[in-house]
Amino acid sequence: MGIYEELVARGLIAQVTNETEIREMINSGKAKFYIGFDCTADSLTAGHFMALTLMKRLQMAGNQPIALIGGGTTMIGDPSGRTDMRKMLTKEDIDHNADCFKRQMERFIEFGEGKAQMVNNAEWLLNLNYVELLREVGACFSVNNMLRAECYKQRMEKGLSFLEFNYMIMQSYDFYYLFKNYGCNMQFGGDDQWSNMLGGTELIRKKLGADAHAMTITLLTDSQGKKMGKTAGNAVWLDANKTSPYEFYQYWRNVADGDVLKCIRMLTFLPLEQIDEMDKWEGSELNKAKEILAYELTALVHGKDEAEKAQNAAKAIFAGAGNSENMPSTTLEASDFSDEGLNIIDALTKAGLCPSRGEARRLIQQGGVSVDDVKISEPNYIIPVSDFEKGYVIIKKGKKVFHKIIK
């Protein structure tokens, strides 16, 4: 089985152009491909995991990745899959986020001479002359076709800014520039990017002629990517300071039964033969599959030592052993406490267990919160100061999320 056939077997490929040529190019290690990452935060998330592991797989098969940092496109903001306009970031914020991305990508991909490359589209996009761009690139795009693209159609009712309308042109120009100047012959992206990606392939054909072979592949459904990127309203970050290794492990340990084998197939490097055997697992065996998934991905991001700690802590907690050594924690200030103690809603929001006071209140009323194994049903409940004699209390959210509040 070639690497392209493996990608298909793992459920990674959604749609392609020129499949015969793409298969031959990837299997022979001749693909020089790029995936873009807009710098909208100071850490990559679990939603980027698919792209990172894909780049690693293809590099291991002899292909050359280009990690494109979107220092320029982030100045505009991608409207795909969004109901409103992204927050406008300063150039300083974007540059800082780009530096954070670089450090995280280096854990997955081997950069260097003849290996993977990392480039920033700010190098060419921010220096473009607007009139020259309109003449050189704008003439290649039909507004009618652009408005038919799904990424724009879903925004037309609520409003699409002219700024965001330019995103397709900027992303298309990226592929054209990388094709001409870096020998990049292929692009990968989520299937919500299909229209933008086809725009790049078409721009290359119109500017450089029909013989210019630029390949396009999409992977991962947009809905699955969003599901992987967030949980309980909060992003799952690859930065250990934003999502601890324990929280990261717990996120994957708690995936739905129907998603666990799909995630193992798409995201881990376990042999397909081993995963095929897991397809027969049912009932309690799926919990074992979830532990395998959580361990493998935590080890990829944070290393085997942290994965072992997270797994041991999770098992100890669920076994009732009360081991909180590696449990995620939040240390509160004296000013967070009244003379009586700590308000439960304050505890939930300050620990990041609920994104708002309203959600915290609803969670309590629905019976989803316990403090030191005592269920709390009153939103105005005060955790007594005396409960902190040991230095902390443990809040349990739902059945599987534990968090230590330290005084």
Side-chain angles (χ1 to χ4, degrees), residues 294-309:
Y295 178 86
E296 291 292 329
L297 298 191
T298 305
L300 272 173
V301 176
H302 299 294
K304 290 187 177 180
D305 287 347
E306 291 296 338
E308 293 280 356
K309 289 179 185 178

Side-chain angles (χ1 to χ4, degrees), residues 95-137:
D95 289 343
H96 169 72
N97 294 347
D99 289 338
C100 295
F101 278 21
K102 289 177 184 177
R103 291 193 295 271
Q104 291 178 346
M105 287 180 183
E106 286 170 348
R107 301 179 202 163
F108 292 85
I109 307 156
E110 191 174 358
F111 293 95
E113 186 69 30
K115 300 174 183 176
Q117 293 175 271
M118 186 175 291
V119 296
N120 190 324
N121 62 20
E123 296 175 14
W124 56 85
L125 292 183
L126 298 188
N127 295 322
L128 288 171
N129 176 283
Y130 185 61
V131 173
E132 288 179 3
L133 178 70
L134 288 178
R135 289 176 63 86
E136 181 180 4
V137 178

Side-chain angles (χ1 to χ4, degrees), residues 170-365:
M170 295 295 99
Q171 183 173 334
S172 300
Y173 188 84
D174 280 343
F175 193 20
Y176 170 65
Y177 188 92
L178 291 170
F179 185 92
K180 279 206 317 178
N181 296 282
Y182 286 83
C184 176
N185 52 32
M186 194 175 297
Q187 60 178 335
F188 281 80
D191 69 351
D192 59 321
Q193 296 285 312
W194 183 243
S195 297
N196 295 347
M197 295 167 68
L198 287 180
T201 301
E202 185 66 9
L203 178 61
I204 290 170
R205 188 187 68 80
K206 288 182 176 179
K207 296 296 294 182
L208 302 178
D211 293 334
H213 289 290
M215 312 300 174
T216 301
I217 300 182
T218 67
L219 61 148
L220 173 67
T221 64
D222 186 36
S223 59
Q224 184 69 20
K226 286 181 170 59
K227 185 187 293 185
M228 289 179 184
K230 294 186 177 181
T231 181
N234 298 316
V236 180
W237 306 100
L238 303 191
D239 184 341
N241 294 317
K242 297 168 78 71
T243 297
S244 72
Y246 176 84
E247 291 171 310
F248 190 82
Y249 177 95
Q250 284 295 92
Y251 170 69
W252 296 106
R253 173 63 180 79
N254 295 332
V255 298
D257 289 356
D259 289 335
V260 60
L261 269 300
K262 182 189 300 182
C263 289
I264 288 176
R265 195 175 293 277
M266 286 180 165
L267 302 177
T268 75
F269 287 82
L270 296 176
L272 283 169
E273 296 79 10
Q274 181 180 345
I275 300 171
D276 289 341
E277 286 298 314
M278 293 183 195
D279 277 335
K280 304 170 187 174
W281 291 3
E282 297 178 350
S284 62
E285 289 180 310
L286 291 177
N287 288 328
K288 181 180 178 182
K290 292 177 185 181
E291 290 178 358
I292 292 171
L293 171 68
Y295 178 86
E296 291 292 329
L297 298 191
T298 305
L300 272 173
V301 176
H302 299 294
K304 290 187 177 180
D305 287 347
E306 291 296 338
E308 293 280 356
K309 289 179 185 178
Q311 188 171 68
N312 291 337
K315 288 181 177 180
I317 291 169
F318 287 116
N323 183 346
S324 63
E325 181 182 354
N326 297 304
M327 189 183 297
S329 62
T330 299
T331 301
L332 299 183
E333 304 293 333
S335 58
D336 295 318
F337 293 78
S338 66
D339 292 340
E340 291 78 22
L342 176 66
N343 179 276
I344 184 62
I345 289 181
D346 288 340
L348 289 167
T349 54
K350 290 180 183 294
L353 294 171
C354 292
S356 68
R357 297 180 66 83
E359 183 168 325
R361 180 178 295 275
R362 285 191 294 274
L363 184 66
I364 294 166
Q365 292 171 334

Side-chain angles (χ1 to χ4, degrees), residues 77-87 150-161 164 192 222 226 230:
D78 184 2
S80 301
R82 297 187 61 85
T83 58
D84 56 4
M85 186 172 169
R86 290 185 186 274
K87 176 185 175 184
E150 195 61 36
C151 60
Y152 291 145
K153 279 168 58 178
Q154 61 189 13
R155 285 289 303 280
M156 292 304 292
E157 290 185 10
K158 292 194 174 182
L160 175 71
S161 70
E164 296 170 292
D192 59 321
D222 186 36
K226 286 181 170 59
K230 294 186 177 181

